């Protein structure tokens, strides 16, 4: 695929996949280090599936009919998982 650069000049563009460790570092630096939770919502046609990660705990298969409902389910399941781990420790 040719990508235009500066008008008439074209450069051949090749898709490069970044190594896994770059993604892992990015997630650690922007999400987990600051205590944030990373959410991901996937569209499955008529339903949405959400997952949540905080660096130590992950929850997945949180379904909802809208992205907001799937995020609410993921947030609730993450809260329950964190409470259970705090209760065990």
């Amino acid at each position: 695929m040719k990508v235009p650069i500066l008008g008439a000049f074209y450069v051949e563009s090749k898709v490069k996949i970044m190594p896994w460790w770059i993604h892992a570092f990015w997630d650690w630096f922007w999400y987990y280090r600051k205590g944030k939770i990373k959410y991901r919502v996937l569209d499955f046609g008529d339903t949405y599936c959400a997952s949540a990660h905080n660096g130590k705990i992950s929850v997945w298969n949180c379904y909802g009919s809208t992205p907001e409902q799937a995020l609410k389910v993921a947030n609730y399941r993450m809260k329950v998982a964190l409470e259970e781990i705090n209760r065990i420790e």
Side-chain angles (χ1 to χ4, degrees):
M1 178 171 119
K2 294 203 179 233
V3 178
I5 294 181
L6 298 175
F9 297 102
Y10 287 87
V11 194
E12 192 67 30
S13 144
K14 296 180 181 175
V15 176
K16 294 183 180 179
I17 298 175
M18 288 190 281
W20 66 269
W21 55 269
I22 292 177
H23 290 286
F25 176 76
W26 183 263
D27 288 344
W28 171 82
F29 186 76
W30 287 107
Y31 293 103
Y32 310 142
R33 180 178 62 99
K34 299 178 182 180
K36 295 181 182 177
I37 298 175
K38 179 181 179 182
Y39 295 100
R40 180 173 292 152
V41 179
L42 302 173
D43 183 4
F44 287 155
D46 58 344
T47 61
Y48 293 88
C49 179
S51 63
H53 315 279
N54 74 348
K56 296 180 181 179
I57 302 171
S58 299
V59 294
W60 56 90
N61 291 340
C62 305
Y63 292 98
S65 58
T66 64
E68 292 81 17
Q69 287 178 343
L71 280 175
K72 283 183 182 179
V73 172
N75 196 11
Y76 174 75
R77 288 184 60 194
M78 178 62 80
K79 178 180 150 190
V80 169
L82 288 172
E83 287 174 355
E84 184 176 332
I85 288 202
N86 289 336
R87 184 179 52 86
I88 292 173
E89 293 175 354

